[in-house]
Amino acid sequence: MTRHGWDAGNRRWRLTALLGVAGVVLALVVTLLSTLPGEPGTAGTTRDGDKVHGTPAAPSGRPEPYVGWGFTHTQYSADQGGPAATARVERLLGRTAGLPQNQHIMGWGADNPEPVEGHYDFGALDRRIDFVRDSGGTPVITLCCSPDWMKGGEAGSGRTDWSRAALETAPRPEHYQDFADLAATVARRYPDVRHFIVWNEFKGFWNDAGSRWDYEGYTRMYNMVYKALKKVDKDIMVGGPYLVMDSVDPRDEHASSALRGPWGAMDQRVLDAFAYWNAHKAGADFTVVDGASYTRDDELLPDEFAATAKLTAVGRWVRRQTRDLPLWWAEYYVEPGDGDDERTGWSEAHRVAVQAAGLIALARGGADSAFYWNPEEKAGRCPGCLWSPTETAGGGRPLPMYDLVSRFAGAFPPGTRYTTVSVAPDDVTAVRVLATDRTVLVVNTRDRPISAQVDGKRFAMGAYAVKWLDR
């Protein structure tokens, strides 16, 4: 996991001359004293982190516990780049007003929000929230990750350890309340953000000695954050636990006997963690999970399209456990990554088709909201991206994945009532279908052209084609 898109080098002050002006000397002394070895520097920070930023839109009534289908901003996104390119993305998103946009508070494009206790730096996060506002999106914030001083690291501006190991370390128990206080500060700063996800993938909560998740620690922190946010505004929507719903080979020693299928078996340790959080949470307005159609060993069982049935099975299981709390998928993956977690092996048509099948599976599993993890690159080719990189000439143009995500969001909003449609017997195994009384989405799962008959209409489909029908 890389940092967030800009140089991580420490700030250094360079004294080029001594001026014989008392005010300058005094300012220099203050600066030097504030950055002595062992003393945490606070340059570039402010004490009023909870001051409302910008001009947020006034909330219109109590928010719903769902937001629909959207995406997550990652290290590089359209808040930076050439003015023409960023403007293109703003206009693009503006045409699908309200598309949910998720942003983390630290990492994935955001800097350390509290490098020293009580001293805040929200510059990068402000810019991201401004972009969401300017593009007409529905803002969602994921409360992860935590400042270094909360997890045993060094405090100070410019001293953040951006290594993956450090970023994915959880706050120490004695700092759970500090993290909850930071969450409350974020909520007061951005009052138009009405939906908050607590933490990301149980990062830092793995118990090596017990070979299980530290679900007690996560739930304790979650409850503190939940209460802190509700104290800011009781109408704020809060959800967790953002567990990775890992599946394994059915023969694995940790394979669940209760939740399995042709796609594999769930890791029982994940189900145990979910059950504990579900039983001991202070409250939740929605449930959040994360996962892939493939197993932890990157096996697509029995193939890439059939494996998406896991997303349906997991969704239905979660809804049963929570007595039908609205279900969110914070991340969902259908294409295994390589050693660097890059997903570049499929053609774009293949990728979009399997992603479409995955979205259909999520919807069938009862999901109300889901976020596509946008793998934006700073420049060059960008497989799976929603738009071309905005830091390149002519960037910011929509790519095939954007068409899928935005059209799916518009056609199947939360509360959609799905219907069945006829599919010719010869085509049942060749296509995936999702329909309402107005729209039908059809996906060709074959790597060759077919002639399909769906909803009484016959039409040609290219290899891995995705087709939208009006009814």
Side-chain angles (χ1 to χ4, degrees):
M1 201 154 299
T2 52
R3 193 201 169 191
H4 52 278
W6 55 85
D7 183 13
N10 292 334
R11 294 173 182 162
R12 291 183 174 84
W13 297 99
R14 180 179 296 172
L15 184 61
T16 57
L18 291 174
L19 302 177
V21 181
V24 173
V25 172
L26 179 60
L28 184 60
V29 170
V30 170
T31 299
L32 290 172
L33 287 175
S34 70
T35 56
L36 286 173
E39 293 293 325
T42 58
T45 66
T46 179
R47 295 300 296 267
D48 59 348
D50 58 358
K51 180 181 178 181
V52 174
H53 168 69
T55 54
S60 56
R62 189 173 189 272
E64 299 290 351
Y66 44 73
V67 291
W69 311 87
F71 67 92
T72 293
H73 290 280
T74 51
Q75 180 178 359
Y76 303 111
S77 197
D79 59 313
Q80 290 184 292
T86 58
R88 284 191 197 99
V89 180
E90 281 191 14
R91 290 193 299 272
L92 178 68
L93 292 168
R95 291 196 287 272
T96 50
L99 196 69
Q101 300 179 38
N102 176 35
Q103 174 62 47
H104 291 64
I105 63 169
M106 179 175 172
W108 301 282
D111 216 328
N112 187 336
E114 192 179 2
V116 178
E117 184 173 5
H119 294 263
Y120 304 95
D121 179 4
F122 285 116
L125 187 56
D126 286 348
R127 187 176 63 246
R128 281 281 167 94
I129 295 298
D130 284 342
F131 178 82
V132 177
R133 290 170 177 171
D134 292 344
S135 60
T138 297
V140 175
I141 282 182
T142 294
L143 296 165
C144 184
C145 294
S146 68
D148 292 35
W149 60 270
M150 294 187 191
K151 51 197 179 190
E154 188 177 7
S157 298
R159 296 179 182 177
T160 299
D161 182 350
W162 289 107
S163 68
R164 178 170 181 170
L167 186 64
E168 296 186 356
T169 297
R172 292 182 172 180
E174 63 267 26
H175 289 297
Y176 288 169
Q177 187 58 54
D178 291 318
F179 185 73
D181 293 341
L182 173 58
T185 297
V186 171
R188 286 190 290 266
R189 186 172 186 85
Y190 311 113
D192 51 334
V193 179
R194 313 293 286 160
H195 300 85
F196 289 86
I197 301 172
V198 182
W199 208 241
N200 173 303
E201 295 186 334
F202 263 48
K203 284 179 168 56
F205 286 99
W206 178 253
N207 182 327
D208 280 320
S211 187
R212 71 172 182 89
W213 292 106
D214 176 17
Y215 39 75
E216 300 94 340
Y218 169 81
T219 303
R220 183 181 166 206
M221 186 182 79
Y222 171 89
N223 286 342
M224 290 181 180
V225 173
Y226 177 88
K227 292 172 183 177
L229 291 173
K230 292 294 186 177
K231 190 173 292 185
V232 172
D233 184 344
K234 62 181 177 57
D235 289 338
I236 285 176
M237 300 281 108
V238 187
Y242 202 154
L243 264 170
V244 183
M245 306 303 284
D246 274 336
S247 55
V248 296
D249 186 289
R251 297 164 295 182
D252 189 279
E253 63 175 313
H254 299 294
S256 168
S257 60
L259 185 53
R260 56 174 54 208
W263 42 266
M266 283 299 299
D267 187 325
Q268 185 60 45
R269 296 170 297 181
V270 174
L271 302 187
D272 292 343
F274 187 91
Y276 184 91
W277 170 83
N278 192 38
H280 296 87
K281 64 184 183 298
D285 299 294
F286 53 90
T287 311
V288 187
V289 295
D290 162 11
S293 58
Y294 44 86
T295 70
R296 192 168 56 233
D297 295 324
D298 292 344
E299 292 183 290
L300 288 161
L301 303 174
D303 60 57
E304 70 271 39
F305 287 98
T308 62
K310 170 192 169 180
L311 306 177
T312 299
V314 169
R316 289 174 177 169
W317 181 87
V318 170
R319 296 286 302 240
R320 289 195 300 271
Q321 307 310 306
T322 63
R323 298 182 180 179
D324 270 346
L325 270 181
L327 171 61
W328 294 26
W329 286 79
E331 303 173 43
Y332 54 92
Y333 300 95
V334 296
E335 179 183 2
D338 60 17
D340 296 320
D341 204 31
E342 297 290 339
R343 294 165 175 83
T344 60
W346 292 351
S347 69
E348 201 68 7
H350 189 186
R351 180 176 296 111
V352 170
V354 187
Q355 283 284 347
L359 285 168
I360 290 172
L362 294 176
R364 288 178 173 167
D368 301 280
S369 307
F371 296 90
Y372 178 70
W373 190 270
N374 187 23
E376 189 71 17
E377 299 287 349
K378 191 172 184 179
R381 183 171 170 267
C382 197
C385 291
L386 297 176
W387 52 79
S388 56
T390 53
E391 299 218 20
T392 58
R397 301 185 187 280
L399 296 174
M401 197 64 70
Y402 181 81
D403 181 69
L404 172 64
V405 172
S406 60
R407 291 190 72 170
F408 197 94
F412 309 116
T416 293
R417 297 185 63 179
Y418 298 102
T419 62
T420 58
V421 295
S422 62
V423 179
D426 292 344
D427 299 323
V428 169
T429 59
V431 298
R432 294 287 186 277
V433 177
L434 187 66
T436 68
D437 59 359
R438 301 181 60 184
T439 304
V440 183
L441 169 61
V442 187
V443 181
N444 178 13
T445 68
R446 301 289 193 252
D447 61 356
R448 56 179 173 76
I450 64 171
S451 174
Q453 184 173 317
V454 178
D455 201 24
K457 303 172 184 176
R458 180 161 292 281
F459 46 86
M461 298 188 75
Y464 298 132
V466 174
K467 190 174 183 64
W468 297 84
L469 307 175
D470 293 326
R471 303 187 76 187

